[in-house]
Amino acid sequence: MATEMALVKPISKFSTSSPIFSNSRYGKFTTIRMSSTSQSTTKAAAKGGKKAAKTAIKETLLTPRFYTTDFDEMEALFNTEINKNLNQSEFEALLQEFKTDYNQTHFVRNKEFKEAADKIDGPLRQIFVEFLERSCTAEFSGFLLYKELGRRLKKTNPVVAEIFSLMSRDEARHAGFLNKGLSDFNLALDLGFLTKARKYTFFKPKFIFYATYLSEKIGYWRYITIYRHLKENPEYQCYPIFKYFENWCQDENRHGDFFSALLKAQPQFLNDWKAKLWSRFFCLSVYVTMYLNDCQRTAFYEGIGLDTKEFDMHVIIETNRTTARIFPAVLDVENPEFKRRLDKMVEINEQLLAVGETSDIPLVKNLKRIPLIAALASELLATYLMPPIESGSVDFAEFEPQLVY
């Protein structure tokens, strides 16, 4: 689950017994333990006297979330005796694709990582730490959800269950690789602690399908765009993790294709007016979350030679074109009005952040936030109500859009 999602039953126990997530000791590294209530700041001495300072992530609408769902409903959806729309031959073909495990030997580190990290100084160093931390959290979120789905569906639909288990393998590999990247900055996320302490957001199964499909596809476009940009502009290749993005994004693409197959197997999620409304809602949620998040971190994208807003719009446009193959309706993101409203939301969000940084008492801060939240909600609603693009097809278009940015 490569991108960060944030949207307005009991949570199952998840296991993190994999060696990838062993957190007993990190030697000289500082272990970051993050929770919704943690506000502590941890500093770690790095090689050559450098320091990496990090404040634990606060729970906000833009924070990477952990998700849970109605697993009983999931079992009913994938019961072959109940759902006659399940195309088992398609799932079996997808399973063989996942079993091939193209990236089994891809995520192998070398001495370049530590050497590059030691050369990153000042504010950019802290920005890289935050990028690795948030990305690791998002990937780990996918690992937890997919692992539990694989376990719960094992008896109902062994083929689909195994695909989920193999996707959790991919996400674990990604999260572990990112956490190893944090070790280059003498830090490490305590993922076992996160599993127990982090709040979980409940989504109904159909919302999991919409949101995760978008998350995986937008992750593909983010990774491939950064990879292609740095290949053409190697002078900005300041940290070797980006060299892995070409193969990495193919994992995201396969995950998205699997969720597309899941949606096709549940036509009730695609073929009525409610499906159109929900499709647009999740497009808006994912696009706005990414845009606002990235515009808070322009220094990171400038550090690798990208214009943040141009990069994001390219990713949104390409993701939207891909999504239009399966969603019954998508946003008209190529309408200039769409970007104008996104930029207005960025301005309002900056004002909200500024209010939070003041020394006013909480009551005064909340009073100042009210008109800003109302303005942000108004922009969101206006964007949602823009005339949509009718789309959707159960057939995959065989094409690879060219990089337009």
Side-chain angles (χ1 to χ4, degrees), residues 121-192:
D121 287 307
L124 187 60
R125 186 176 179 86
Q126 185 170 342
I127 289 165
F128 258 85
V129 167
E130 184 175 285
F131 161 73
L132 292 168
E133 181 186 272
R134 294 176 69 88
S135 298
C136 181
T137 304
E139 297 283 356
F140 188 62
S141 170
F143 158 74
L144 291 177
L145 177 64
Y146 299 157
K147 181 174 182 178
E148 185 67 2
L149 283 167
R151 186 183 73 82
R152 291 293 295 264
L153 296 173
K154 194 171 290 185
K155 292 182 179 178
T156 305
N157 194 318
V159 173
V160 170
E162 189 171 359
I163 295 175
F164 273 120
S165 295
L166 293 174
M167 287 206 306
S168 75
R169 170 206 66 195
D170 295 343
E171 301 292 311
R173 190 177 285 156
H174 299 166
F177 195 64
L178 287 159
N179 212 13
K180 282 288 188 180
L182 277 169
S183 73
D184 298 324
F185 297 85
N186 295 340
L187 296 166
L189 279 179
D190 188 339
L191 298 173

Side-chain angles (χ1 to χ4, degrees), residues 220-280:
Y220 166 80
W221 281 109
R222 285 173 67 85
Y223 286 154
I224 196 61
T225 303
I226 291 173
Y227 174 81
R228 289 171 176 171
H229 162 72
L230 292 176
K231 188 175 181 180
E232 293 178 6
N233 303 276
E235 67 273 19
Y236 291 107
Q237 187 75 257
C238 53
Y239 188 64
I241 200 167
F242 303 117
K243 296 178 182 179
Y244 291 74
F245 276 13
E246 184 179 34
N247 286 43
W248 192 329
C249 75
Q250 296 305 329
D251 283 344
E252 311 298 332
N253 208 31
R254 278 187 286 273
H255 296 181
D257 287 346
F258 172 57
F259 273 93
S260 184
L262 295 182
L263 281 165
K264 287 194 296 179
Q266 311 294 338
Q268 71 275 19
F269 297 160
L270 295 172
N271 61 8
D272 61 12
W273 62 272
K274 289 184 289 185
K276 291 183 178 182
L277 294 178
W278 281 118
S279 294
R280 289 160 54 199

